[in-house]
């Protein structure tokens, strides 16, 4: 069939990047509807509804994020799409396990519905671990294998979300076996989460059908996984120069994807989305062609999206126009054949459309924090111990990643009360879903913190109210600010104004526009750093201290968990 005489969009004068060969070839790109009609020799004679003069630019496929969580942006789906599309992210696979741990099936249905109107393609994964570690924490909801099997048939759902309880898979837990089997019967892909899983245990995890991993591994374990065909999904914290060197030393460079996993709104607006991860990969030593393949072709193949990831006739017209292969922030973005950002407006503060005055999505999850304001007695750490000095097990945090190592702190106990103020920071977790009144406390070491506290209901994955404090008064003040707003994050440092970001959608997302949320998130981040929480991603560091599938030791509302052993840890050293 001859090429038509008219088209909707003509991109003229560009070089087209081939993700298959790594070449840049001079060509014009003809777009009809949402598809690429032709990639033809420069100077094609065709009438176009719109012509983009792309002289000196490079046309590449739109970026595809094969593993991420919209809730981590603290934004609702439409706002997330509005700020990431101009950065080149045209397709995402979203795993809403944060909000689903709070509100279950209804929350996932709401997320899907909220994303329907976005120009960005949003595909969905059903969370596999709700709660993340059954029996070791209290979530707001629980999904059975039957629930998951039904949800895998929902429109837009393509994947079983990251199987975080990897130890249960290796051990053959009946619950996890039934969930994995349900997904395999549906014929969907199964995403993994198995930090530094190796040897026969890794073999058992692969045998179960779970064939990707996005967590941080040593270079040796990452190579082991790649050798066995496990798809590496590399997020920012994974992208070390040593790992890149080890991968390039292999006889064949394995396929892998670049993913964002968790990026807050302020980080996206300040630095970018997948384009930021691409710059990190380039700085770690990857070639531009390798980076672009990991943003486009490889995730398209992973997600079974044969209609995109390549600039070729018949493929979906999701395209980015770049100044150079080593400059991944687009000048222009085309999504579904429509120009959604252009003329340098794809920079840090651009959004596809202004937020309408008074705009806000509906919020059926505004009453998810079922806690009365804390009283003084709620901030007292009680222990059934005799008077004297006792050695308590503690969590040691670090400034780089979310691993927490076991440590010990000696504290006095008087009349059944642990006297911690002035001696250590504590981590306190308050169950907030079912009104049980349950709370736990443990020491935290690793940072030199001023007098103050931070409280959050954005706390992976059960999102119970989590507080780190050096002072009981600040603990109460920060916690009550969060409770009063129906969820959120507060930093209360003595002698400074409180910094508070409300997150009323299930305690994990805001209904506010992205710039407002980003400003609030940036203020929280700055306040955490000013308090002394000097972590390169302070949000993730604080919010994962309750995640009982993230090594090595974590605190939930039920107690201390030894993650690798999937066992309880006695809070007091015998």
């Amino acid at each position: 069939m001859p090429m038509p005489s008219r088209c909707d969009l003509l991109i003229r004068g560009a070089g087209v990047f081939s993700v298959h060969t790594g070449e840049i070839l001079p060509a014009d790109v003809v777009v009809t509807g949402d598809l690429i009609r032709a990639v033809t020799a420069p100077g094609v004679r065709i009438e176009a509804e719109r012509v983009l003069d792309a002289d000196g630019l490079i046309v590449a496929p739109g970026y595809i994020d094969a593993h991420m969580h919209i809730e981590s942006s603290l934004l609702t789906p439409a706002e997330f799409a509005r700020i990431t599309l101009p950065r080149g992210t045209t397709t995402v696979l979203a795993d809403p396990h944060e909000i689903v741990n709070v509100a279950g099936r209804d929350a996932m249905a709401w997320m899907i519905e909220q994303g329907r109107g976005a120009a960005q393609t949003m595909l969905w994964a059903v969370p596999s671990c709700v709660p993340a570690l059954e029996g070791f924490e209290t979530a707001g909801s629980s999904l059975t294998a039957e629930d998951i099997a039904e949800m895998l048939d929902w429109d837009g759902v393509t994947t079983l979300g990251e199987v975080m309880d990897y130890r249960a898979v290796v051990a053959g837990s009946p619950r996890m076996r039934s969930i994995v089997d349900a997904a395999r019967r549906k014929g969907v892909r199964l995403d993994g989460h198995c930090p530094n899983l190796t040897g026969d245990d890794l073999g058992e995890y692969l045998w179960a059908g779970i064939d990707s991993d996005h967590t941080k591994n040593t270079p040796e374990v990452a190579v082991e996984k790649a050798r066995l065909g496990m798809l590496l999904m590399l997020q920012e914290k994974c992208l070390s120069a040593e790992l890149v060197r080890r991968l390039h030393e292999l006889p064949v460079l394995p396929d892998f994807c670049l993913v964002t996993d968790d990026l807050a709104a302020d980080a996206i607006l300040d630095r970018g989305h997948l384009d930021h991860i691409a710059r990190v990969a380039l700085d770690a030593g990857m070639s531009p062609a390798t980076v672009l393949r990991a943003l486009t072709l490889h995730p398209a193949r992973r997600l079974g999206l044969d209609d995109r990831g390549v600039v070729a006739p018949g493929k979906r017209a999701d395209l980015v126009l770049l100044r150079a292969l080593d400059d991944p922030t687009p000048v222009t973005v085309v999504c579904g054949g429509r120009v959604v950002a252009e003329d340098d407006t794809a920079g840090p503060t651009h959004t596809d459309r202004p937020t309408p005055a008074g705009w806000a999505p509906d919020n059926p999850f505004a009453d998810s924090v079922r806690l009365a304001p804390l009283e003084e007695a709620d901030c007292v750490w009680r222990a059934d111990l005799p008077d004297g000095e006792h050695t308590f097990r503690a969590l040691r945090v670090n400034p780089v990643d979310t691993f927490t190592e076991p440590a010990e702190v000696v504290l006095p106990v008087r009349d059944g009360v642990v006297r911690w103020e002035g001696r250590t920071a504590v981590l306190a977790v308050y169950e907030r879903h079912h009104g049980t009144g349950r709370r736990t406390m443990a020491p935290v070491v690793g940072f030199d913190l001023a007098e103050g506290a931070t409280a959050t209901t954005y706390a992976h994955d059960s999102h119970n109210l989590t507080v780190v404090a050096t002072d009981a008064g600040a603990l109460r003040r920060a916690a009550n600010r969060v409770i009063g707003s129906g969820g959120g994050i507060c930093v209360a440092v003595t002698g400074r104004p409180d910094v508070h970001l409300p997150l009323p959608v299930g305690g994990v997302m805001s209904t506010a526009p992205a710039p407002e949320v980003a400003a609030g998130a940036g203020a929280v981040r700055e306040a955490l750093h000013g308090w002394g929480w000097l972590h390169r991603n302070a949000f993730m560091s604080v919010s994962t201290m309750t995640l009982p599938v993230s090594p090595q030791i974590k605190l939930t509302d039920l107690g201390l968990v030894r993650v690798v052993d999937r066992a309880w840890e006695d809070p007091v050293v015998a």
Side-chain angles (χ1 to χ4, degrees):
M1 184 174 70
M3 190 163 59
S5 59
R6 291 187 58 83
C7 68
D8 296 312
L9 176 66
L10 175 62
I11 303 173
R12 175 169 285 160
V16 172
F17 176 71
S18 169
V19 294
H20 291 290
T21 66
E23 299 170 285
I24 300 174
L25 304 171
D28 291 346
V29 180
V30 179
V31 175
T32 299
D34 61 355
L35 299 178
I36 299 170
R37 178 63 182 82
V39 178
T40 187
V44 61
R45 293 178 176 272
I46 187 172
E47 290 188 32
E49 187 72 24
R50 179 165 186 187
V51 177
L52 282 180
D53 183 357
D55 187 38
L57 299 178
I58 299 169
V59 180
Y63 303 153
I64 301 170
D65 198 340
H67 180 82
M68 54 80 63
H69 311 283
I70 289 175
E71 304 99 303
S72 295
S73 71
L74 312 178
L75 303 170
T76 52
E79 276 296 279
F80 169 84
R82 200 167 65 86
I83 66 168
T84 55
L85 256 176
R87 305 305 295 238
T89 304
T90 54
T91 300
V92 300
L93 175 72
D95 178 352
H97 67 204
E98 316 299 354
I99 189 70
V100 174
N101 264 279
V102 173
R105 294 159 55 107
D106 289 347
M108 180 152 183
W110 182 83
M111 290 289 283
I112 294 172
E113 185 60 34
Q114 289 292 310
R116 286 194 198 282
Q120 185 180 68
T121 299
M122 289 185 176
L123 303 174
W124 299 90
V126 177
S128 63
C129 297
V130 180
L133 191 60
E134 187 181 40
F136 286 81
E137 59 183 333
T138 306
S141 183
S142 178
L143 294 185
T144 65
E146 291 74 22
D147 292 326
I148 289 170
E150 180 185 335
M151 294 162 74
L152 285 169
D153 288 332
W154 290 2
D155 186 40
V157 174
T158 67
T159 302
L160 181 69
E162 57 179 296
V163 183
M164 295 183 290
D165 194 358
Y166 57 99
R167 289 292 167 189
V169 174
V170 171
S173 152
R175 177 175 184 264
M176 285 313 305
R177 183 187 299 119
S178 67
I179 289 171
V180 168
D181 287 349
R184 296 192 73 169
R185 285 194 298 270
K186 293 290 183 180
V188 301
R189 60 198 55 80
L190 287 73
D191 275 350
H193 169 121
C194 55
N196 285 320
L197 193 64
T198 185
D200 291 341
D201 287 348
L202 176 59
E204 287 300 305
Y205 196 67
L206 286 163
W207 167 255
I210 308 159
D211 59 353
S212 73
D213 184 38
H214 67 278
T215 62
K216 185 177 180 180
N217 298 283
T218 66
E220 292 75 21
V221 173
V223 168
E224 178 186 1
K225 290 177 175 179
R227 285 186 182 124
L228 295 173
M230 178 171 264
L231 181 69
L232 300 179
M233 296 182 173
L234 303 179
Q235 56 176 296
E236 182 171 3
K237 67 182 180 182
C238 304
L239 288 165
S240 68
E242 182 183 4
L243 174 62
V244 171
R245 178 180 57 79
R246 289 294 301 275
L247 291 176
H248 280 88
E249 286 174 350
L250 297 171
V252 174
L253 182 66
D255 290 354
F256 60 88
C257 302
L258 295 176
V259 300
T260 61
D261 197 12
D262 299 288
L263 286 182
D266 62 320
I268 295 170
L269 287 179
D270 287 346
R271 299 192 298 273
H273 194 242
L274 279 172
D275 58 320
H276 167 66
I277 307 301
R279 282 189 294 276
V280 174
L282 290 167
D283 290 343
M286 285 187 189
S287 72
T290 296
V291 167
L292 282 170
R293 284 168 61 89
L295 292 174
T296 57
L297 180 64
H298 296 164
R301 287 175 171 172
R302 169 63 186 177
L303 301 182
L305 298 175
D306 296 331
D307 66 336
R308 67 197 71 191
V310 181
V311 183
K315 302 300 183 182
R316 180 175 162 89
D318 288 352
L319 306 167
V320 293
L321 275 62
L322 309 174
R323 294 181 182 86
L325 287 186
D326 60 0
D327 183 359
T329 298
V331 175
T332 301
V333 180
V334 177
C335 187
R338 183 171 68 89
V339 177
V340 296
E342 60 180 323
D343 298 333
D344 296 327
T345 57
T349 60
H350 174 73
T351 52
D352 178 33
R353 55 180 171 79
T355 301
W359 170 89
D362 67 299
N363 179 12
F365 312 112
D367 299 319
S368 68
V369 180
R370 300 179 179 95
L371 276 173
L374 301 188
E375 303 291 342
E376 285 188 18
D378 298 318
C379 305
V380 175
W381 182 1
R382 299 193 177 277
D384 186 15
L385 294 168
D387 286 1
E389 303 285 312
H390 295 273
T391 303
F392 292 85
R393 301 190 194 278
L395 293 78
R396 180 177 298 279
V397 294
N398 69 77
V400 177
D401 55 38
T402 57
F403 280 44
T404 45
E405 297 180 343
E408 297 178 357
V409 174
V410 177
L411 295 171
V413 175
R414 301 288 184 271
D415 301 321
V417 175
V418 182
R419 310 291 182 170
W420 58 273
E421 289 183 88
R423 297 177 175 89
T424 184
V426 297
L427 173 65
V429 182
Y430 296 80
E431 193 280 314
R432 62 101 160 179
H433 301 289
H434 306 291
T436 63
R438 185 167 46 246
R439 70 180 188 271
T440 56
M441 288 187 175
V444 175
V445 299
F447 292 129
D448 184 13
L449 302 174
E451 189 175 281
T454 184
T456 181
T457 51
Y458 178 82
H460 301 271
D461 271 344
S462 290
H463 301 287
N464 286 304
L465 175 64
T466 299
V467 190
V468 180
T470 58
D471 171 79
L475 186 160
R476 183 183 176 197
R477 187 167 82 249
N480 284 343
R481 287 293 299 275
V482 168
I483 292 169
S485 62
I489 309 170
C490 180
V491 183
V493 178
T494 301
R496 302 177 190 173
D498 293 354
V499 177
H500 178 218
L501 174 62
L503 299 173
V505 183
V508 297
M509 289 182 289
S510 173
T511 57
E516 183 179 327
V517 177
V524 167
R525 199 183 301 272
E526 184 178 348
L528 285 170
H529 291 166
W531 181 40
W533 199 272
L534 301 177
H535 193 279
R536 69 180 183 182
N537 189 344
F539 275 118
M540 288 303 297
S541 177
V542 172
S543 69
T544 54
M545 295 173 70
T546 58
L547 180 57
V549 293
S550 175
Q552 296 181 0
I553 185 169
K554 293 293 190 283
L555 181 71
T556 75
D557 67 301
L558 297 177
L560 280 169
V561 181
R562 289 201 315 272
V563 174
V564 174
D565 297 332
R566 207 170 182 266
W568 293 112
E569 182 69 272
D570 194 318
V572 181
V573 178

